[in-house]
Amino acid sequence: MRSTGLLKLNLLLTTIFIAQFLNGYDFSLISSFQSMNSWRDSKLLAESSSNIGLLNAAADVTGLVTAPFASYVADRWGRKWCIRYSSIANLVGTILGCIAGVPGVNGYAVFMVSRIIIGSGLTFALMCSPIMLQELPHPKHRTILGGLFDIAFIVGGFIASWILFGCSYITSNWSWRIPYLIHIPLALTMIVLITFVPESPRWLISKGREAEARAYFVKYHANGCEDDELVKFEIDEIHEAIETERTLKQDSWTSILTNRSSLHRLGCVILIAVCQNLSGTAIISYYYTEILSLVGITDTVTVTGINAGLTTSTAAFALFGLYLTQVIDRRPQLLGTWAATLAANVGLIASTAVYEKTGSTHAGVAAVAMVWLYNGFFFVSCGSIFFTYPPEVLHYSMRSKGMMVWMVTAKLLSVFSSYTNSIAMAAIGWKWYLFYTAMLIVTGVLLYFVIVETRGYTLEEIGALFGGEPLEAATHAYKDAKEGEGEIDVDAKAAPDEEAPIRK
């Protein structure tokens, strides 16, 4: 019998994808705006690499400030309020951004405020959406729904690039205002639909609202069957995990920073954030116009057309990456694509250097191809793993705190890359790519030694994969202590149980 509960749940979860779609859509705008004459004529941006960097970094700087608040809101009032705030911030920020450029208005200042407000909302959504996509889906659908999250980012960029390409033929200010205004219907849709999305059952259980959590599992995971074994298994596993974490005080920063298992998890999260933001693909996202100018491509229609092709190829690579998550393990996918990304980085350096020296048209074409491959190989992993792995390896009590660390790390590195990329590209051109060559090598080595394979386990079972104090070992110790059969050993170590159920 078809599960109407699961179908309804998965449809409702598409609301969360809108947040990432908006992120991807917004991410593509500023870079393309820089190639539009109407944008430059609106005097929204002084012609300096420093001001361009500040404008691109504005949303990330805001994220550094708002990430701790997002973590608090997610734990105190629930995951859904983060999505609500993100929707409202997008709405307000978009309206302000479209006012910029009106005669008598300081366009740069108003547009900067617009970027700051939108950036604060995106931080809330980016931190909380991956958590919801790990905690809400049916166990069989968790991997694919989590992997689809960043596909929404790529689709957003894809749609934006083609809209920008079409608007590049408009000579008035509407060439950039129309793409910016499209934020509004998407934000309004998200504000309405998030009301109907259920709250995380793990959050409900942590607040003592077990009846509501059970009703959620019965309705959406068991298609209304009260006696379904999966419902009992999920509730017992979550309740046991949360109770144990509280008993062992695993929700405190002191415990997180002194427990080897928690530190390993946090290390994985930070490493993923570093990989996301120091791969060199930020140059492609924000400054592809400068990349193309280094090989003699400056015409607005050509530049926006190449960007549209770039987002199309990136979407294809990301969908291939999502397919790979269903058939191979995480580690080989990450390591293989990282090696390919490094190769594309080297290819981009070589082709750009040859063009600078010889002016060869073939070298220019090769540089464009390498940009497509560079971004594509990166998104084979980023599109399907980078937004699912962090909340996956964090146990419940540290999940929002760990995601805050992930977000703050990502925003710090984004501020660095957004601001310095523009200045470095203007100063030394393609030689700046060499910095990212070094970072790809370093992060590749760290991925090999730090990342733990998680494919096939439930969120609670993943605790057994980490050294130090696996969640399952602590759970059994706690149960034994409760029954008077032993004492809790907070330093206990245990290897993963080879007989544990692994759910593909």
Side-chain angles (χ1 to χ4, degrees):
M1 182 177 65
R2 177 176 295 177
S3 176
T4 55
L6 270 179
L7 179 61
K8 183 178 180 180
L9 173 64
N10 292 341
L11 287 173
L12 287 171
L13 289 179
T14 59
T15 304
I16 300 171
F17 295 149
I18 297 175
Q20 186 68 330
F21 177 94
L22 267 172
N23 184 31
Y25 181 88
D26 183 80
F27 206 70
S28 297
L29 296 183
I30 304 304
S31 182
S32 291
F33 285 172
Q34 293 170 40
S35 69
M36 292 181 169
N37 292 327
S38 61
W39 164 262
R40 292 192 293 268
D41 293 342
S42 298
K43 301 191 183 303
L44 299 184
L45 188 63
E47 293 290 340
S48 80
S49 58
S50 177
N51 280 337
I52 293 172
L54 283 173
L55 187 64
N56 283 330
D60 296 319
V61 172
T62 309
L64 293 174
V65 178
T66 57
F69 292 100
S71 174
Y72 178 77
V73 169
D75 278 345
R76 179 69 177 81
W77 290 294
R79 316 316 199 190
K80 291 168 59 173
W81 277 105
C82 291
I83 307 298
R84 285 193 180 98
Y85 174 75
S86 176
S87 309
I88 295 168
N90 248 290
L91 194 60
V92 174
T94 301
I95 294 170
L96 276 176
C98 290
I99 293 172
V102 172
V105 173
N106 185 330
Y108 181 69
V110 173
F111 202 79
M112 180 69 78
V113 172
S114 167
R115 303 307 302 153
I116 289 171
I117 293 173
I118 289 176
S120 72
L122 289 176
T123 297
F124 270 70
L126 285 179
M127 204 201 82
C128 203
S129 295
I131 295 176
M132 295 182 73
L133 289 173
Q134 293 297 313
E135 295 181 348
L136 283 163
H138 188 281
K140 291 192 298 185
H141 299 161
R142 181 173 61 82
T143 299
I144 192 164
L145 285 172
L148 281 169
F149 180 66
D150 205 46
I151 304 298
F153 175 92
I154 297 161
V155 173
F158 169 79
I159 298 296
S161 66
W162 284 104
I163 290 173
L164 288 159
F165 175 64
C167 289
S168 67
Y169 290 94
I170 301 173
T171 56
S172 69
N173 284 344
W174 288 105
S175 65
W176 63 266
R177 279 206 179 98
I178 289 173
Y180 213 64
L181 280 168
I182 290 174
H183 282 88
I184 291 177
L186 293 167
L188 287 172
T189 300
M190 197 158 54
I191 289 173
V192 173
L193 292 183
I194 194 62
T195 304
F196 303 99
V197 176
E199 186 55 82
S200 163
R202 287 169 174 80
W203 182 82
L204 290 171
I205 290 175
S206 75
K207 298 300 179 183
R209 295 158 62 176
E210 292 186 30
E212 293 175 60
R214 188 176 192 283
Y216 166 85
F217 284 126
V218 169
K219 180 177 181 179
Y220 293 110
H221 286 196
N223 202 30
C225 179
E226 294 280 350
D227 300 321
D228 192 275
E229 286 296 318
L230 178 63
V231 172
K232 184 178 185 304
F233 171 80
E234 289 185 292
I235 292 175
D236 288 348
E237 188 177 46
I238 294 168
H239 185 275
E240 198 170 277
I242 292 175
E243 187 178 2
T244 302
E245 290 167 18
R246 282 177 175 169
T247 301
L248 299 175
K249 295 182 172 57
Q250 291 184 334
D251 58 344
S252 68
W253 279 111
T254 301
S255 175
I256 291 170
L257 297 176
T258 56
N259 179 277
R260 282 177 295 177
S261 173
S262 296
L263 283 174
H264 189 177
R265 296 168 193 261
L266 210 56
C268 289
V269 166
I270 291 171
L271 177 57
I272 292 296
V274 172
C275 290
Q276 281 177 302
N277 293 278
L278 290 183
S279 65
T281 53
I283 298 177
I284 299 171
S285 299
Y286 281 128
Y287 304 106
Y288 78 90
T289 54
E290 294 184 40
I291 293 176
L292 296 180
S293 70
L294 290 175
V295 292
I297 302 172
T298 57
D299 175 68
T300 297
V301 174
T302 304
V303 168
T304 53
I306 289 174
N307 185 48
L310 170 65
T311 57
T312 304
S313 68
T314 300
F317 275 102
L319 289 171
F320 175 65
L322 180 60
Y323 164 74
L324 286 181
T325 61
Q326 310 305 306
V327 296
I328 67 172
D329 290 344
R330 306 285 185 265
R331 282 175 55 84
Q333 183 172 347
L334 280 169
L335 295 172
T337 55
W338 216 242
T341 303
L342 175 60
N345 168 275
V346 173
L348 178 60
I349 292 171
S351 56
T352 308
V354 169
Y355 180 87
E356 181 181 76
K357 185 176 181 179
T358 67
S360 167
T361 303
H362 294 299
V365 172
V368 172
M370 285 301 152
V371 166
W372 287 24
L373 290 175
Y374 196 160
N375 217 46
F377 289 141
F378 171 77
F379 273 99
V380 170
S381 283
C382 180
S384 55
I385 296 178
F386 280 7
F387 281 89
T388 60
Y389 193 83
E392 189 175 64
V393 299
L394 297 166
H395 59 65
Y396 177 82
S397 295
M398 69 178 293
R399 191 162 290 143
S400 63
K401 293 182 177 68
M403 290 301 288
M404 181 193 72
V405 171
W406 171 74
M407 181 57 66
V408 168
T409 304
K411 292 303 180 184
L412 276 171
L413 296 174
S414 291
V415 169
F416 165 79
S417 61
S418 297
Y419 186 70
T420 59
N421 281 344
S422 179
I423 297 172
M425 291 284 286
I428 61 175
W430 64 265
K431 297 180 183 67
W432 179 237
Y433 304 155
L434 291 167
F435 168 75
Y436 291 107
T437 307
M439 291 308 306
L440 285 167
I441 293 171
V442 171
T443 50
V445 172
L446 290 173
L447 283 171
Y448 179 82
F449 287 106
V450 174
I451 293 299
V452 173
E453 184 58 57
T454 59
R455 179 172 176 255
Y457 291 86
T458 68
L459 290 180
E460 281 67 40
E461 289 169 345
I462 287 172
L465 304 176
F466 287 84
E469 186 185 315
L471 180 60
E472 285 75 12
T475 300
H476 293 309
Y478 173 64
K479 288 174 67 180
D480 289 345
K482 281 179 64 178
E483 296 169 3
E485 298 176 5
E487 297 180 357
I488 301 175
D489 180 5
V490 295
D491 295 319
K493 295 182 181 180
D497 182 2
E498 295 181 353
E499 299 300 319
I502 299 179
R503 294 162 182 80
K504 301 286 185 181

